[in-house]
Amino acid sequence: MRYLIIGNSAAAVGAVEAIRHYDRQSAITIVADEPHHVYSRPLISYLLGGTVDETRMHYRPEDFYERNDVETMLGVEVTQIDVRAKTVSLAGGGQVGYDRLLISTGGKPFVPPLPGADLLGVYTFTTWQDARRIDHYIDDNRVESALVVGGGLIGLKTTEALIERGIAVTIVELADRILSTTFDRTASKMAESILRQHQVEARTGTTVEEIIGRTGRVDHAVLRDGERIDCDLVLFAIGVRPNTGLIPADSGIAIERGICVDRHMQTTIDDVYAAGDCVQAYDMLIDACRPIAIWPNAYRQGYVAGCNMAGVDKRYEGSFPMNSIEVCGVPTISVGLTDPPRDEDYEIIDKYDRDALVYKKLVLYHNQLVGAIFVGDIDRAGIYTGLIRDGVDVRPFKEHLLSGSFGLISLPRDLRKHMVVGEGIEV
Amino acid sequence: MRQCANDVHAYDPEDDWVYSEESRCVGCHRCVTLCPTHALTVRRTLLDFRSNANWTADRINSIYKQAETGGILLTGMGCDQAQPIYFDHLLLNASQVTNPSIDPLREPMELRTHIGRKPGRVELSENGDGVELTTQLSPQLTLETPIMFSAMSYGSISYNACLSLARAAKQSGIMYNTGEGGLHPSLYQYGPWTIAQVASGRFGVHPEYLETAAALEIKIGQGAKPGIGGHLPGEKVSADVSKTRMIPMGTDALSPAPHHDIYSIEDLRQLIYALKEATNYAKPVGVKIAAVHNVAPIASGIARAGADYIAIDGLRGGTGAAPTIIRNNVGIPIELAIASVDTRLREEGIRNEVSLIAAGSIRNSGDIVKIIALGADAVYIGTGALVALGCHLCQKCYTGKCNWGIATQDPYLTKRLNPNIGSRRLSNLIRAWSLEIKEMLGGMGVNAIESLRGNRDHLRAVGLSQVELDTLGVKGAGQP
Amino acid sequence: MKRIHVNEEYCIACRLCEIHCLVQHSQSRKIIKAFKEEAPRAMARLLVEEQGPLSFAMQCRHCEEAACLEACMTGAMHRDEETGAVLCDEDKCVGCWMCIMVCPFGAIQRNIVGRRAASKCDLCYGNEVPVCVAHCPNEALTFVEDTPSGNGSA
């Protein structure tokens, strides 16, 4: 059995660890265009900001490939996939055959077609290489101010990294508030005010029309309403799209917004699996498939794919959006459907302490928890995530949900006894 | 702080300090035991009255309380006054030279005891293989060691405490006694190690209760409060207790002073045989009385009434709740009672018709050996067992606020007694005492506990008057 | 693997487990110093939940399929091969709190005094018996080898 994995990030690691759990003999090969040992992509903003140095970037120990008996071809691009012949062609010649293939090519950053996007000092920020390039540019050009295009999660992490470097940042966001897909209005406002305290301005409800350079380097940007923003650096952080470019149109692999996969992570072609940011997988809250590009999902999908590739029937339970980021030191967590439509089916329970800067919000749909936001106090938030995932009817303990003493003890006894299977280790 | 059921310690967040309201402390040592830095200790408070051997502080305070309330003063556990303790005046023999001692580690030592009526004569018949017993034997209780757990009702003690006693009885091969509280259905599995008590209130007495037990005991009285019935304050009658006792929740469970169907010795005989009939004559039926002035003739009457054993509870017997004045003043010490009953029954030639069980502050294995030498077949331990479970003798059992989870029904407190730990400690105690008894027996040159029974010659006394020596049937030390 | 079993019937909410866990993870490992002198004070890795007379100690279940392991973006959460415990490498941890987001038991806490890192039970790595088990006065916590049928899954 020959396993071939395209990609070398969370999903790939999940797949390797799953396969090796069941099959220690067969060959596993990883092909990836980035030359690095598997690293933690979210750490690139920490790297840029200087909180983490290059020695801490690796996601698994140095001997990971060796111990798991994985052959690696790093820094090698895949040019062609032939699903009938079951071979994959590599740049610079060469072909690799497979019995089971995993496509975990991740996401590609979205770059809007703007005039000036090709100037020096304009970057996307999704790889370790990007971090290094930006880092050098900042040092070489003594960057003092920057424009971050996109006020979502990536935009915010990028902004924090730049603040750490002492750079003044302006954020431009198309929606009328930052973090519009993860937060509700209240939480967004809190985030904006925290940023303002750190001298970060957010321009919402607008977009960049043009980037103007001088001597080939970026000098300033012009917004839709004509406002001019001086900046030495522009970072695009609008979002990533599933990276499906290398899949040939006639392969038979169905692609919508991302690669379509079933509950076993298999694509529409037998023996070809996909996982991670490049797929659209089952979202249990909307009961449909869509891309949810977050690290825990990628790992889990890779793991499930790996199990199935190794012949073990494992079903992907599904997922939902969830994020944990700190906004200038204020912890926040958002899970599931955080900003529901005004509808009688949805019930909101919240607690807002303006002085302490603590906001907690729970969204219920027919007495089931479907979404949660925590700002400032994220203690034990995972309990709520568990309630969302298990679709628990919260009526028996609804009034305790946001009380200070809410915990497992507030849940009905047989529910908490079944959270973990196993005598004695149940709670 | 959380551990104190009497609200002694309290945290003041403003001062960030823990204050102790010392007047509420009952001296149970719970906080001392649990403090991880051993920072606490308990001492008598130093409010002294002027020295007065007659009007002691206790007596003065009792009058203050009664002047305020107009009520009976209650207390828990056994008599704590300075009446003479005869055990402490009795000394044991040891073999030297003429009658060599026995090494319990190398020679078999028989501690096994049978409680029940023994026949006056046995008849044997020969058959092909050998000899067979033709005499019909009365039902017996077999104990691996002559120690049993005394009657403590479910209600006066917690369920966890009952479970600990039941399990330990099973593990040690002895018996425990249900007391007046009936038997909780989940404890039926320990039936073969259970003595079911039928007391004057008849709490929890129904056919299944009688069938499940290994023996039945009619309780006429108990050492802590001879002449009056049991008392369980309403605070301790929880839902479960009410169900087991078959009484309404929250009401005081007051057993009547006499059994209202026993007004003469003939009535007692009737009840004994009614119970035997109900259980098909398969179980021993005993009678428990308190040690009072006439204990010898009473015991003689009970033996003739058909009881298989008589349990006698002395002055120092414990209780969950009793009027202090009765606990301290009524009854006689068990040492004198057993000696006089044993002597009387022997004189009448009916000693074999009953086994005698002694109770009332058996504090250690030395007391056990002495009381058996004075005439008992076995002992009941009550206070001793509770101390093994963690009791610190604060004597506040009647409040239901036992910090050790023993004499309470409060769920916050009963959790503190883990039956796994409790039964282990009780078994350990029984084992330790049994080993010590073997050592003492071996020292005396005796290898079976039976040989010790009623054998006054193994005892000598110090510091007693001639009358006391005569009652005990024991010579003064130094007399050969 | 050996796991901590929690028996809520016998927990008396005395919180000695929390105290000893804190001491075990403090610098001096001496109780008076750990509470009175050390700053920042160490964190206990377990917490006692209490509601009326019901109480129990709650700590990491070291699940077979640990959600925190999958969610950890730096690889700081890893499984110790010898004991089977899920441990957090506090040098690698950057304090992103994804683990807190996914742990259905809420067993992980933020340690923000000093280095930011996730803080949770480590089965008293290096000890034969975890200190919470050793010091529980009522044997509500026991350290038991799992039966083969028992498998914790989140």
Side-chain angles (χ1 to χ4, degrees):
Chain A
M1 181 64 68
R2 293 167 303 168
Y3 301 100
L4 179 61
I5 301 176
I6 304 178
N8 184 26
S9 193
V13 171
V16 166
E17 292 182 337
I19 294 173
R20 280 295 174 241
H21 192 66
Y22 299 104
D23 179 351
R24 303 211 75 86
Q25 316 293 75
S26 310
I28 304 180
T29 307
I30 287 184
V31 179
D33 57 359
E34 286 189 77
H36 316 281
H37 179 100
V38 62
Y39 68 91
S40 165
R41 198 174 303 284
L43 279 183
I44 56 176
S45 62
Y46 292 78
L47 183 63
L48 184 63
T51 27
V52 151
D53 63 27
E54 303 231 327
T55 58
R56 280 166 75 188
M57 289 296 288
H58 290 169
Y59 179 55
R60 285 289 186 261
E62 305 308 316
D63 58 357
F64 173 71
Y65 300 112
E66 199 188 306
R67 290 182 64 203
N68 286 289
D69 204 11
V70 174
E71 187 200 337
T72 60
M73 297 182 182
L74 303 178
V76 176
E77 241 186 83
V78 168
T79 52
Q80 208 20 298
I81 303 178
D82 185 341
V83 299
R84 274 159 287 269
K86 288 184 146 191
T87 58
V88 155
S89 308
L90 310 173
Q95 276 196 346
V96 183
Y98 66 83
D99 292 311
R100 301 243 164 84
L101 172 69
L102 174 69
I103 302 175
S104 58
T105 45
K108 248 172 48 158
F110 178 66
V111 183
L114 282 182
D118 50 354
L119 286 167
L120 284 176
V122 178
Y123 296 96
T124 54
F125 187 29
T126 54
T127 67
W128 193 339
Q129 269 306 92
D130 291 338
R132 282 199 185 126
R133 274 188 228 121
I134 298 169
D135 181 48
H136 290 320
Y137 190 87
I138 290 175
D139 286 338
D140 293 343
N141 295 277
R142 305 225 207 105
V143 169
E144 281 175 0
S145 61
L147 180 70
V148 172
V149 184
L153 292 157
I154 303 183
L156 236 67
K157 290 308 301 179
T158 311
T159 303
E160 281 212 31
L162 296 171
I163 297 177
E164 287 289 319
R165 301 289 288 262
I167 298 171
V169 178
T170 310
I171 301 178
V172 174
E173 163 62 42
L174 184 59
D176 63 348
R177 53 187 172 93
I178 61 171
L179 295 163
S180 55
T181 49
T182 45
F183 278 1
D184 66 356
R185 211 156 282 282
T186 313
S188 287
K189 276 214 160 12
M190 292 175 81
E192 280 165 22
S193 92
I194 294 169
L195 288 171
R196 227 173 284 124
Q197 283 171 16
H198 286 81
Q199 281 89 48
V200 175
E201 283 302 319
R203 297 275 187 276
T204 54
T206 182
T207 180
V208 176
E209 279 288 307
E210 199 180 344
I211 304 176
I212 317 283
R214 204 148 60 113
T215 68
R217 291 189 207 300
V218 69
D219 179 67
H220 65 272
V222 180
L223 303 186
R224 186 163 58 191
D225 59 3
E227 187 185 348
R228 171 189 160 125
I229 312 255
D230 284 318
C231 50
D232 311 317
L233 176 68
V234 174
L235 294 181
F236 283 113
I238 296 177
V240 288
R241 305 283 184 272
N243 186 9
T244 57
L246 60 67
I247 297 175
D250 62 347
S251 63
I253 297 176
I255 303 175
E256 291 170 18
R257 289 156 69 187
I259 303 176
C260 299
V261 287
D262 62 13
R263 299 295 283 271
H264 292 90
M265 290 293 126
Q266 193 166 216
T267 64
T268 42
I269 297 291
D270 278 348
D271 294 335
V272 177
Y273 295 77
D277 289 1
C278 60
V279 310
Q280 58 182 53
Y282 185 63
D283 177 332
M284 53 170 64
L285 284 184
I286 61 172
D287 193 24
C289 289
R290 65 155 156 173
I292 302 178
I294 54 174
W295 191 265
N297 277 1
Y299 182 91
R300 169 108 295 235
Q301 288 170 6
Y303 193 87
V304 171
C307 290
N308 288 296
M309 285 161 79
V312 174
D313 188 322
K314 191 132 179 118
R315 213 170 121 87
Y316 180 58
E317 299 293 321
S319 178
F320 42 86
M322 54 170 114
N323 290 286
S324 163
I325 63 157
E326 285 200 334
V327 181
C328 297
V330 177
T332 77
I333 285 182
S334 65
V335 187
L337 178 58
T338 54
D339 199 18
R342 277 187 199 289
D343 195 321
E344 344 184 283
D345 293 324
Y346 291 99
E347 189 189 336
I348 308 229
I349 304 176
D350 62 9
K351 226 153 86 149
Y352 183 22
D353 185 338
R354 210 174 289 263
D355 303 313
L357 255 195
V358 170
Y359 177 50
K360 287 189 180 182
K361 170 183 178 177
L362 298 176
V363 180
L364 304 172
Y365 180 73
H366 294 167
N367 291 305
Q368 280 181 4
L369 201 57
V370 293
I373 300 179
F374 301 94
V375 177
D377 177 2
I378 59 166
D379 286 345
R380 309 192 81 190
I383 301 181
Y384 300 95
T385 311
L387 292 176
I388 295 177
R389 194 188 44 236
D390 294 337
V392 174
D393 182 339
V394 304
R395 269 174 297 190
F397 48 91
K398 207 200 263 196
E399 64 264 22
H400 297 296
L401 275 173
L402 281 186
S403 76
S405 59
F406 180 71
L408 296 169
I409 207 165
S410 323
L411 305 178
R413 197 169 182 275
D414 26 288
L415 171 63
R416 66 179 162 80
K417 290 286 171 198
H418 282 100
M419 283 170 70
V420 175
V421 172
E423 190 195 292
I425 49 172
E426 75 260 351
V427 184
Chain B
M1 195 174 73
R2 259 179 288 258
Q3 291 292 302
C4 183
N6 299 292
D7 297 324
V8 171
H9 306 289
Y11 175 64
D12 186 330
E14 249 180 45
D15 297 344
D16 193 25
W17 197 258
V18 177
Y19 288 102
S20 299
E21 180 49 64
E22 276 141 14
S23 62
R24 286 203 271 262
C25 177
V26 298
C28 74
H29 301 173
R30 180 81 183 171
C31 56
V32 175
T33 314
L34 270 130
C35 175
T37 54
H38 311 293
L40 294 164
T41 187
V42 173
R43 274 199 253 279
R44 279 190 86 80
T45 37
L46 300 176
L47 178 62
D48 281 331
F49 286 98
R50 203 166 163 147
S51 265
N52 194 326
N54 188 24
W55 282 102
T56 57
D58 281 341
R59 293 180 180 128
I60 298 176
N61 282 320
S62 296
I63 294 192
Y64 291 150
K65 277 191 222 147
Q66 291 184 309
E68 291 232 359
T69 61
I72 297 179
L73 294 175
L74 289 182
T75 184
M77 304 310 274
C79 171
D80 60 357
Q81 303 294 297
Q83 265 90 347
I85 301 173
Y86 291 94
F87 287 125
D88 294 343
H89 291 269
L90 291 169
L91 297 166
L92 298 170
N93 194 22
S95 296
Q96 306 273 273
V97 184
T98 50
N99 184 13
S101 47
I102 300 174
D103 186 347
L105 290 177
R106 289 187 177 75
E107 321 259 351
M109 274 286 180
E110 184 67 75
L111 287 187
R112 187 174 288 170
T113 307
H114 299 279
I115 302 293
R117 179 174 288 253
K118 310 289 191 296
R121 47 181 279 150
V122 289
E123 278 175 7
L124 306 167
S125 71
E126 279 185 45
N127 63 15
D129 300 310
V131 182
E132 214 179 51
L133 186 67
T134 46
T135 313
Q136 186 86 323
L137 288 180
S138 294
Q140 305 282 312
L141 283 182
T142 304
L143 306 174
E144 292 305 314
T145 182
I147 314 171
M148 295 190 280
F149 296 125
S150 193
M152 290 181 279
S153 65
Y154 173 43
S156 70
I157 58 175
S158 64
Y159 176 77
N160 282 346
C162 290
L163 182 56
S164 304
L165 290 166
R167 274 199 204 151
K170 177 177 174 181
Q171 260 169 278
S172 307
I174 59 177
M175 299 281 148
Y176 86 103
N177 193 311
T178 62
E180 307 189 50
L183 186 61
H184 195 275
S186 67
L187 294 177
Y188 280 17
Q189 58 175 307
Y190 298 101
W193 299 274
T194 310
I195 299 179
Q197 207 180 65
V198 177
S200 59
R202 305 289 161 88
F203 294 124
V205 178
H206 55 83
E208 231 186 316
Y209 174 66
L210 301 176
E211 263 315 306
T212 308
L216 304 173
E217 188 176 276
I218 301 173
K219 179 211 170 194
I220 303 290
Q222 68 182 102
K225 39 191 162 166
I228 67 173
H231 180 184
L232 184 66
E235 298 99 320
K236 290 169 91 171
V237 183
S238 64
D240 214 16
V241 170
S242 116
K243 212 163 122 203
T244 309
R245 291 204 176 201
M246 297 154 36
I247 59 170
M249 210 171 118
T251 52
D252 283 356
L254 295 165
S255 305
H259 286 244
H260 284 300
D261 55 352
I262 302 181
Y263 281 92
S264 68
I265 199 73
E266 288 82 11
D267 290 338
L268 177 61
R269 183 186 177 84
Q270 202 171 13
L271 181 60
I272 292 174
Y273 279 98
L275 291 174
K276 288 192 179 184
E277 282 281 345
T279 55
N280 221 7
Y281 293 87
K283 304 177 201 274
V285 175
V287 176
K288 175 176 175 183
I289 54 172
V292 292
H293 305 311
N294 276 4
V295 67
I298 293 171
S300 167
I302 294 176
R304 292 170 200 282
D308 294 298
Y309 71 84
I310 308 176
I312 307 178
D313 197 8
L315 166 72
R316 298 252 180 212
T319 177
T324 316
I325 203 73
I326 293 193
R327 184 197 71 175
N328 290 352
N329 292 293
V330 185
I332 66 172
I334 188 62
E335 304 93 304
L336 300 172
I338 285 284
S340 76
V341 168
D342 177 69
T343 305
R344 172 73 174 249
L345 294 178
R346 279 180 203 276
E347 283 169 359
E348 295 189 3
I350 54 170
R351 179 65 183 85
N352 59 299
E353 302 206 350
V354 284
S355 292
L356 290 180
I357 303 178
S361 191
I362 306 294
R363 304 157 301 171
N364 50 44
S365 52
D367 291 352
I368 298 178
V369 171
K370 290 170 191 173
I371 202 70
I372 291 179
L374 285 174
D377 287 90
V379 300
Y380 267 141
I381 56 167
T383 307
L386 295 187
V387 172
L389 287 177
C391 169
H392 282 243
L393 283 158
C394 72
Q395 296 191 32
K396 294 280 188 261
C397 326
Y398 60 95
T399 62
K401 286 198 188 159
C402 174
N403 264 316
W404 296 89
I406 303 170
T408 177
Q409 303 303 326
D410 183 336
Y412 281 94
L413 303 176
T414 54
K415 307 174 86 170
R416 297 180 183 184
L417 181 53
N418 181 343
N420 295 327
I421 303 180
S423 59
R424 196 167 66 218
R425 291 174 72 90
L426 287 168
S427 299
N428 281 348
L429 183 71
I430 300 296
R431 178 172 184 270
W433 282 0
S434 301
L435 290 174
E436 286 177 342
I437 294 173
K438 284 188 186 177
E439 291 284 343
M440 286 183 274
L441 288 182
M444 289 187 240
V446 172
N447 69 354
I449 195 77
E450 268 189 353
S451 315
L452 184 63
R453 176 157 63 79
N455 196 339
R456 317 292 170 84
D457 211 33
H458 280 303
L459 299 172
R460 290 295 185 272
V462 282
L464 296 180
S465 69
Q466 191 55 50
V467 174
E468 289 163 320
L469 291 176
D470 288 341
T471 313
L472 290 169
V474 169
K475 297 186 192 155
Q479 302 276 317
Chain C
M1 70 173 266
K2 275 192 138 181
R3 284 203 158 89
I4 299 178
H5 284 205
V6 178
N7 199 327
E8 64 199 46
E9 267 170 49
Y10 306 134
C11 174
I12 58 178
C14 66
R15 292 182 160 80
L16 282 171
C17 49
E18 285 181 6
I19 292 176
H20 287 282
C21 179
L22 190 155
V23 173
Q24 173 71 7
H25 292 92
S26 68
Q27 277 181 352
S28 59
R29 297 222 174 149
K30 294 199 164 93
I31 187 169
I32 309 249
K33 275 195 137 128
F35 276 90
K36 289 280 186 184
E37 290 172 18
E38 283 184 22
R41 190 186 278 185
M43 284 178 77
R45 309 304 177 90
L46 85 176
L47 65 100
V48 173
E49 293 207 35
E50 208 179 326
Q51 196 177 74
L54 177 64
S55 63
F56 51 80
M58 171 66 239
Q59 76 274 96
C60 170
R61 304 280 80 208
H62 300 281
C63 309
E64 296 267 312
E65 293 203 347
C68 58
L69 256 176
E70 299 188 1
C72 179
M73 63 181 208
T74 61
M77 285 291 185
H78 62 280
R79 193 177 293 276
D80 178 59
E81 277 175 20
E82 243 182 77
T83 57
V86 175
L87 303 176
C88 174
D89 180 344
E90 299 195 7
D91 291 324
K92 230 174 179 298
C93 176
V94 293
C96 73
W97 319 132
M98 300 271 257
C99 49
I100 295 185
M101 181 173 72
V102 297
C103 173
F105 302 99
I108 308 176
Q109 294 167 285
R110 295 189 303 143
N111 186 348
I112 52 176
V113 209
R115 272 210 74 247
R116 304 170 90 76
S119 168
K120 69 174 202 62
C121 167
D122 57 1
L123 282 188
C124 282
Y125 191 73
N127 277 26
E128 242 200 75
V129 172
V131 297
C132 55
V133 174
H135 286 99
C136 176
N138 214 23
E139 292 183 10
L141 295 172
T142 48
F143 197 45
V144 183
E145 187 65 49
D146 251 352
T147 51
S149 60
N151 70 300
S153 42

